[in-house]
Amino acid sequence: MKTIHLLFVTLLLTLLSMISTAQTPVQTKTGYAPVNGLKIYYEIHGEGTPLLLLHGSFMNGAMTFGSMIPELAKHHKVIVMDMQGHGHTADGSRDFSFPHFAEDAAALLQYLHIQQADVVGYSLGATVGLQLAILYPEKVRKLVFISSAYNNNGWIPSTKEAFASLSPEMLTNTPLKAAYDAVAPDTAHWHSFLERMISFEQKPFDLGKENLKKVKVPVLIIKGDNDGIDYTHMAEMYTMLGGGVFGDMVPMPASQLAVLPAASHTGIIMMPDKLLSLITPFLQ
């Protein structure tokens, strides 16, 4: 158990240190959207089809997607969002939940006068993106779902153990803390933010099989071959989205499934070229 916990933290810190040295993309516009009692921070890069990026837990948009934004911005109007309590966006009294995060994303698009967008989410952001497609199907054109699950049973036992072991102390004096201090509106809120987010991460969740079956937008599921997500869960999810057919006999489904080799949960986001090779043609 202790070895699993230490390995999880080591991988997380490796990811953060590598992302922190990535080139920061040129920003074309930044702002704060007053939605749902919060001031949601956003960045806009490039022009073209709107593309909303949803980051991972404890991170922010630039940390998660910084190495991919310049390429994505060549053909898209990329909207980078910092969710409640993350990055530039201050926390509030409202509980963290997938519906709340999705409501904020929908409200941000409305604030920016964007009727519909493609969505790319990683980890936390992937499940938020799926929740967005369930609650606001008119807002999502296509969804890229990277390394996450639609309910907590999608994580293998060792992943659940790692989540259960998280504590604020494990994430203090790390690149994650340095990144928070660099942009957070109130750096004194760090410990409280961690306590609330960790509590959220440790709670069971389920977006619902019946809800997934109703999702009509094309979804590209991307997972690592060793990212802590159960293969049966991914196959079940893909089937509910219309995949898993005999493509030689019936039309190919709109949704797709990809498994990247030698990829862990934290490591997959450090493979921008491989991710872009899948994401770009899917969105086009």
Side-chain angles (χ1 to χ4, degrees), residues 41-283:
Y41 175 81
Y42 66 90
E43 301 173 2
I44 297 178
H45 308 265
E47 294 293 339
T49 304
L51 173 59
L52 176 66
L53 304 183
L54 298 173
H55 59 75
S57 296
F58 309 106
M59 305 172 71
N60 60 51
M63 288 175 64
T64 305
F65 298 106
S67 58
M68 290 191 283
I69 291 173
E71 187 64 30
L72 292 170
K74 291 180 180 179
H75 304 287
H76 299 274
K77 181 178 184 177
V78 179
I79 302 101
V80 186
M81 169 185 174
D82 285 356
M83 289 184 267
Q84 178 184 343
H86 293 74
H88 300 76
T89 301
D91 199 358
S93 59
R94 187 185 62 171
D95 290 341
F96 293 130
S97 74
F98 289 113
H100 285 163
F101 287 137
E103 288 168 11
D104 294 342
L108 172 62
L109 293 177
Q110 188 67 28
Y111 174 82
L112 296 174
H113 305 291
I114 295 173
Q115 298 303 311
Q116 190 178 61
D118 292 326
V119 179
V120 175
Y122 162 70
S123 193
L124 166 70
T127 307
V128 172
L130 184 57
Q131 183 74 86
L132 180 67
I134 290 170
L135 295 178
Y136 305 92
E138 74 284 356
K139 293 289 187 185
V140 181
R141 191 182 78 97
K142 292 184 178 182
L143 170 65
V144 179
F145 185 95
I146 305 172
S147 196
S148 196
Y150 71 85
N151 67 40
N152 59 286
N153 290 324
W155 302 106
I156 62 176
S158 57
T159 309
K160 294 179 182 179
E161 292 173 5
F163 287 161
S165 74
L166 282 176
S167 68
E169 291 71 28
M170 293 172 67
L171 300 179
T172 301
N173 299 321
T174 68
L176 187 60
K177 175 65 161 60
Y180 182 88
D181 287 345
V183 300
D186 181 6
T187 57
H189 199 67
W190 166 254
H191 196 275
S192 174
F193 161 66
L194 286 185
E195 287 183 329
R196 282 163 44 75
M197 254 320 273
I198 289 172
S199 176
F200 163 72
E201 291 283 352
Q202 294 173 343
K203 289 179 181 177
F205 70 93
D206 189 351
L207 271 56
K209 292 183 179 180
E210 292 306 313
N211 290 329
L212 260 70
K213 293 175 182 178
K214 296 176 183 177
V215 172
K216 301 302 180 184
V217 302
V219 180
L220 168 60
I221 301 171
I222 304 176
K223 76 180 299 292
D225 55 357
N226 291 282
D227 65 1
I229 300 167
D230 183 79
Y231 276 93
T232 301
H233 180 86
M234 281 290 102
E236 180 182 58
M237 179 178 172
Y238 184 51
T239 300
M240 287 188 290
L241 293 170
V245 302
F246 185 22
D248 288 334
M249 300 297 292
V250 298
M252 292 292 286
S255 293
Q256 301 175 15
L257 171 63
V259 178
L260 291 183
S264 67
H265 184 73
T266 53
I268 196 170
I269 203 65
M270 292 186 284
M271 301 176 172
D273 291 342
K274 291 183 179 180
L275 290 174
L276 287 168
S277 72
L278 299 169
I279 294 170
T280 299
F282 175 73
L283 296 182

